[in-house]
Amino acid sequence: MSNAHAKLSAASFLRGAIVPLLVIAFWQALSSSGLINPVVLPSPVAVVVRWWAYLLPAEPFDPAQSSWFLWALSGEMLTDAWSSLYRVVLGFAVGAGLALPLGLTMGTSDRVYGLMDPLLQVLRPIPPIAYIPLAILWFGLGNAPAIFLIAIGAFFPVLMNTIAGVRHVDGIYLRAARNLGAGRATMFLRVILPAATPYILAGARIGIGTAFIVVIVSEMIAVNAGLGFRILEAREFMWSDKIIAGMFTIGLLGLAIDIAMNRLNNHLLRWHRGLDS
């Protein structure tokens, strides 16, 4: 059974790789033909060469200065990726940490929902990017405005999904729990919260994806380190190969975050899949 699953996964991977490989081949052929200025669109080979140079440490290894492990991680790309990831995780934790209790409260209390919903519906359509001038005015430059913007980006997906999850709990479960004598605390912890968990986790996955988008924009404006800052810096020097290498790094990091969130969701919702199967 495991061999069959491995063959199926390999076949699925190969099918998924067909279109990217064709795009890369067409891109290379277009670049090699000389029809496009390499400053405007460098070849895939040039991008890979720049990406590798972006990954490697700038200074040669010196055992007297640091260990080989720290030296290997001192490359500009890894430093930028770590800076961006740090801001994403911290901003998401702030946004989700505020959204989760508020969403649970609004979902369970019609009075609180009626009080808070009009304000939230006005604020929700405002994109986090629109807060950039205020973020810089309030927090200056550095990590603080970036984390503020990321928290806003993560807040509303988690909030709205949490509210939806709580308010869409099947009434059969609630009536059954009441008939069995469940109190308010037991009803919330044993019925409402587990039933809303799939919605909450879906909101968290969307929220962290939004946070990753916002961090790149905020780094282009408010900070002097990170993948977004490095892309903007490369634009000023017309290093299009480094711009695309940075974009490729963003894609890989975003893919890794999404895969990690998906696996976490699958692990936490094993009981949910078992009930559905």
Side-chain angles (χ1 to χ4, degrees):
M1 186 68 177
S2 59
N3 290 336
H5 181 72
K7 290 180 180 179
L8 184 62
S9 299
S12 177
F13 174 79
L14 291 175
R15 282 196 302 270
I18 291 175
V19 173
L21 290 175
L22 290 175
V23 170
I24 292 173
F26 176 73
W27 176 12
Q28 181 63 48
L30 199 62
S31 300
S32 300
S33 67
L35 296 175
I36 298 179
N37 188 339
V39 176
V40 177
L41 183 64
S43 68
V45 174
V47 171
V48 171
V49 170
R50 173 67 82 163
W51 187 85
W52 183 250
Y54 188 22
L55 174 66
L56 294 177
E59 301 294 333
F61 175 58
D62 184 358
Q65 296 295 327
S66 65
S67 66
W68 184 90
F69 180 74
L70 293 177
W71 171 81
L73 296 179
S74 66
E76 190 178 60
M77 186 189 73
L78 293 177
T79 303
D80 289 337
W82 167 251
S83 298
S84 298
L85 186 60
Y86 166 77
R87 296 183 185 107
V88 166
V89 172
L90 188 56
F92 174 79
V94 172
L98 295 173
L100 187 58
L102 179 60
L104 292 173
T105 304
M106 290 179 64
T108 54
S109 173
D110 290 335
R111 178 175 298 179
V112 176
Y113 181 86
L115 289 172
M116 297 297 298
D117 187 63
L119 175 62
L120 294 174
Q121 294 306 324
V122 171
L123 296 177
R124 187 167 62 92
I126 302 175
I129 299 171
Y131 290 92
I132 287 176
L134 286 177
I136 296 176
L137 181 64
W138 292 343
F139 301 104
L141 300 177
N143 283 332
I147 292 171
F148 170 73
L149 295 170
I150 295 165
I152 293 175
F155 177 81
F156 285 102
V158 177
L159 175 70
M160 302 311 295
N161 275 50
T162 301
I163 295 172
V166 173
R167 295 179 73 85
H168 285 82
V169 175
D170 198 324
I172 295 176
Y173 300 150
L174 300 177
R175 289 192 295 271
R178 290 194 191 99
N179 291 336
L180 292 172
R184 291 177 61 88
T186 302
M187 179 81 73
F188 178 79
L189 294 174
R190 302 296 297 274
V191 179
I192 295 176
L193 189 57
T197 298
Y199 287 84
I200 295 172
L201 293 177
R205 187 177 180 185
I206 297 171
I208 201 165
T210 305
F212 196 75
I213 295 172
V214 175
V215 72
I216 301 303
V217 177
S218 64
E219 286 176 346
M220 291 183 174
I221 298 169
V223 299
N224 58 0
L227 295 171
F229 169 79
R230 204 63 63 187
I231 289 175
L232 189 64
E233 179 188 57
R235 179 193 64 83
E236 294 176 356
F237 292 97
M238 297 186 70
W239 294 336
S240 54
D241 51 356
K242 190 170 184 178
I243 293 174
I244 298 176
M247 294 168 61
F248 180 65
T249 305
I250 292 170
L252 290 178
L253 190 57
L255 177 63
I257 291 174
D258 187 70
I259 290 174
M261 288 295 297
N262 187 44
R263 291 188 176 182
L264 177 63
N265 288 0
N266 290 338
H267 175 73
L268 295 177
L269 295 178
R270 288 178 298 175
W271 60 271
H272 188 263
R273 296 198 311 272
L275 289 177
D276 288 343
S277 59

